[in-house]
Structures are given as structure tokens and as C-alpha cells.
Amino acid sequence: IMKKTMMILALLLISSAATLSAQDFSLPLKDGGSLCFYITDTLNCTVSIGPVRGLKEIIVEQPKGSLDIPGSVKYGDKTYTVTAIKDQTFADAKELTGVTIPSGITSIGARAFAGCVSLTGVVFPAAEPTFGKDVFAECTSLTSISFGSDWQAVDCRIFPDSVSVSEIYIPAKVRRISNLKSLHALKAISVDANNHYFSSSDGLLYSGDAKTLYACPVAREGKVVVAEGAESILQGAFSGCRGITEIVLPQTMHEFLYNEFASCQELKRLELNSEIPPITAKWNGSPVFALYLQSPDVKVYVADAAYTRYKSAICSEAGEYETMSGRQKESFDGGQLAGGNSLVRTKEDKKK
């Protein structure tokens, strides 16, 4: 009898443990699969969505197709607000093609969508949620990303394996953008007209007043024309832009870094339209116009009327060059910098 009683108690404990670890309730989806919900606050009626928990024999089918995550769900006689997506909830849902995340979601756990190799589009909630690590790791098919209208910051590191996102739209309230260069397929950036911190023109990202060019998308190719009115280029704006063949700078441009275009491996032509040579470095403590380019074959075109001025200003002397802030220094010999032989009159080019 004692042994039989102990066996019954053991079975009850196992059953109890399985019940406690399982989801509180689930919701079947019309395209197959289901969502598993966990009650997080009984008083305020909130739930999170998470992976299935329970007996190993239970196999739960992952969602397929395009998924609209509900903002609320009814269970029993109560309606619960969905506020979180737990770690690895949709991990390896290989047939999930799209997801819309409701505004009530305030956090998305680590690897929540990792391995969703067919996921092409994500619509985020209005306010920016907190993100765990590698939320969208291995999501190689993403092409469309819609950030929420109330987002104040965009960190592109949440898409570490993006190879298909070619364009992004920056909402009106965003005041900080980081790791933009991690979007390796990005060709164009557009900004809401009501954004006071950023602006865009021809797919390039500028400051709100359009006086500083902030970034050129990494995958941009061919000819790039910097908008008239831009006065400076933020360091690293052209970093990684290997496919650009021609860059045209406006008359208003007067300051950029001497090696700003060094990583533009396909660059053949750089056109400078300012009448006065821009300041690009300090040499021996004095501001100078100097250029370090990927190839000596890159031609620097200047207006005919300013040709003599550029010819006398261009500095290719050996020595240590530094940024205007003095934070970066680099030594060059006499043959590494573009010299007067690189300059071409724009007028002569037009005759050809």
C-alpha cells in the first residue's frame, strides 16, 4: 500500500509540474498553427505570447503565411491585453512570411523570430518595444520593414542578417539612427516630411536642415548627386559604398574628410562644384585641401573658373594628416594623395 501511495503521489507531482510549465491557453490560427499565451498579470489582465511548454511528446505547429498578432484575446470571461513576445516564440517558423505586431507589445524577447527564413515583412507597433538579443537573426528574406509612428530611435542591428532590405522609411519622431551601415542591401532612405532631426533627398540621409550629409546607403551604385545646400559630410557617410562610380558635390560644399571616399572602390569621377576648395584635413597644423582616393585613376573634376585655385590648393605633400578635430591622424608619402594631375576642368569634360 505504501509503495502504491508513493507512486500515485509521484504521478501527481509529474502531472502538476507539466501543467505549471504549460501555456495557460492557446489560440488556433486559420492558416495553421496556434499562439500560446501566458498570463503575466491577473489583476491588469495582461498576457505574453511564448513558445509551447509542456510534455515533449506535444508537437505544436508554427504559424504560416502572414500573421497579424492580436492586440487582445479573450479567455474565459476576461479579455487580456497582449504585451510581450517571449524568447524564441516564433524561432524557426520557416513558413512565416509576414508579421504585424500590435501596439500593446512593449518587449520582444531574444531570438523571438530567429530562423524565420521566409519572413519578408515586419510591421512594428506604434511605440518602440525593447528588444532581446538576435530577435531577427537568420531572417535572410526580409525586404519590408515598417517602423512605428512614435519611435524615437532606430537601431538597425536588430536585423543582423539582412541581405534584402533595399529601402527604409524613417518616421516623424525618430531623433536617433544607429548602425545604418549594417543593412548591407540598403539603396535608399526616405524620411517623413515632419521629422525635424533628419531629412532625405534622392535616397540619401541628411540632417534636418539638410546642411549635413549623414549617410549614403551601402548598396548604392552608380552616380550619386549630393543635394545643393549641403555644406558638410559627416565622417563615414560613404563608408562601405563600393559600387558608386561617380559623386557630384554641390557649390555649397565646403568641408568633408580627406579619406571620405577611400572605400568607394568603383569610383571613377569626383566632381567638386564649389568655387573655393573645401577643407578636408590639417597638415602641419594648417587647414588644407587633400584627397585620399582608392585609385590614382580617379579624376577630380572642377569648374573651369576655379581650376587654377584648386590646382594651387591641392595638397599631396608627404607627412601626417589629421582631421579638423584632431581625433584621427594618418601618415602619407608623396604618392598616396591625389595631386594636381588628378584635376580635370569640368568644361573640358563637357566637350568630349
Side-chain angles (χ1 to χ4, degrees):
I1 296 173
M2 181 65 69
K3 288 183 178 181
K4 189 174 181 179
T5 302
M6 291 181 67
M7 287 179 64
I8 293 172
L9 286 172
L11 287 171
L12 287 172
L13 286 171
I14 292 171
S15 176
S16 176
T19 302
L20 289 172
S21 63
Q23 67 275 3
D24 290 299
F25 60 95
S26 61
L27 175 70
L29 300 170
K30 64 178 182 178
D31 293 328
S34 61
L35 298 179
C36 300
F37 296 92
Y38 300 79
I39 297 174
T40 54
D41 190 327
T42 55
L43 182 62
N44 294 307
C45 294
T46 62
V47 294
S48 61
I49 300 176
V52 65
R53 295 285 186 264
L55 299 176
K56 292 182 179 179
E57 302 85 42
I58 298 176
I59 299 175
V60 175
E61 184 182 5
Q62 286 278 30
K64 300 176 181 179
S66 184
L67 172 64
D68 285 339
I69 296 176
S72 61
V73 61
K74 191 171 183 179
Y75 177 60
D77 60 350
K78 294 183 178 180
T79 299
Y80 294 85
T81 301
V82 183
T83 60
I85 300 173
K86 297 167 74 69
D87 294 356
Q88 300 184 325
T89 296
F90 300 105
D92 298 318
K94 300 188 184 303
E95 296 183 70
L96 184 65
T97 59
V99 61
T100 299
I101 303 172
S103 292
I105 298 289
T106 58
S107 68
I108 302 176
R111 299 186 63 82
F113 294 92
C116 295
V117 294
S118 299
L119 186 65
T120 59
V122 178
V123 178
F124 284 108
E128 181 186 4
T130 59
F131 292 96
K133 187 178 181 181
D134 297 329
V135 172
F136 292 97
E138 299 122 48
C139 293
T140 53
S141 298
L142 273 174
T143 58
S144 174
I145 302 169
S146 179
F147 300 110
S149 58
D150 292 333
W151 283 39
Q152 296 192 16
V154 169
D155 186 349
C156 296
R157 284 182 303 181
I158 61 176
F159 308 105
D161 300 305
S162 166
V163 293
S164 302
V165 176
S166 60
E167 184 172 356
I168 61 170
Y169 175 79
I170 305 299
K173 296 181 181 180
V174 171
R175 60 177 65 191
R176 182 171 59 85
I177 304 172
S178 56
N179 300 294
L180 193 63
K181 296 289 181 174
S182 66
L183 296 178
H184 301 299
L186 192 65
K187 292 185 177 181
I189 305 162
S190 56
V191 179
D192 190 285
N194 294 314
N195 191 302
H196 301 300
Y197 303 94
F198 300 99
S199 61
S200 61
S201 176
D202 191 30
L204 306 181
L205 182 68
Y206 294 84
S207 57
D209 59 9
K211 292 184 177 180
T212 301
L213 173 63
Y214 280 164
C216 177
V218 170
R220 187 68 178 264
E221 297 176 337
K223 183 177 181 179
V224 171
V225 179
V226 177
E228 193 66 42
E231 299 176 357
S232 63
I233 300 174
L234 186 69
Q235 181 177 347
F238 285 90
S239 174
C241 298
R242 300 180 179 182
I244 294 175
T245 58
E246 181 178 353
I247 298 173
V248 179
L249 301 184
Q251 292 182 347
T252 50
M253 182 62 62
H254 62 73
E255 185 176 345
F256 56 87
L257 194 62
Y258 62 91
N259 62 357
E260 181 58 43
F261 312 111
S263 63
C264 300
Q265 297 182 354
E266 301 297 322
L267 187 65
K268 299 293 186 292
R269 172 186 173 122
L270 174 63
E271 183 176 322
L272 306 178
N273 286 296
S274 55
E275 295 181 3
I276 299 174
I279 300 301
T280 62
K282 284 199 296 186
W283 178 72
N284 286 340
S286 300
V288 296
F289 167 56
L291 291 172
Y292 175 54
L293 302 170
Q294 182 68 224
S295 167
D297 296 329
V298 180
K299 296 300 181 182
V300 181
Y301 289 80
V302 297
D304 183 61
Y307 179 79
T308 302
R309 196 176 295 122
Y310 273 85
K311 189 85 171 180
S312 61
I314 194 165
C315 184
S316 59
E317 298 293 329
E320 187 175 70
Y321 288 75
E322 60 182 316
T323 59
M324 296 304 293
S325 65
R327 294 179 182 176
Q328 181 178 330
K329 297 181 181 181
E330 200 167 356
S331 294
F332 296 99
D333 61 39
Q336 291 178 290
L337 298 173
N341 60 325
S342 299
L343 297 176
V344 178
R345 298 173 190 265
T346 306
K347 185 177 179 180
E348 289 181 0
D349 178 55
K350 289 180 180 178
K351 290 181 179 179
K352 296 180 181 178

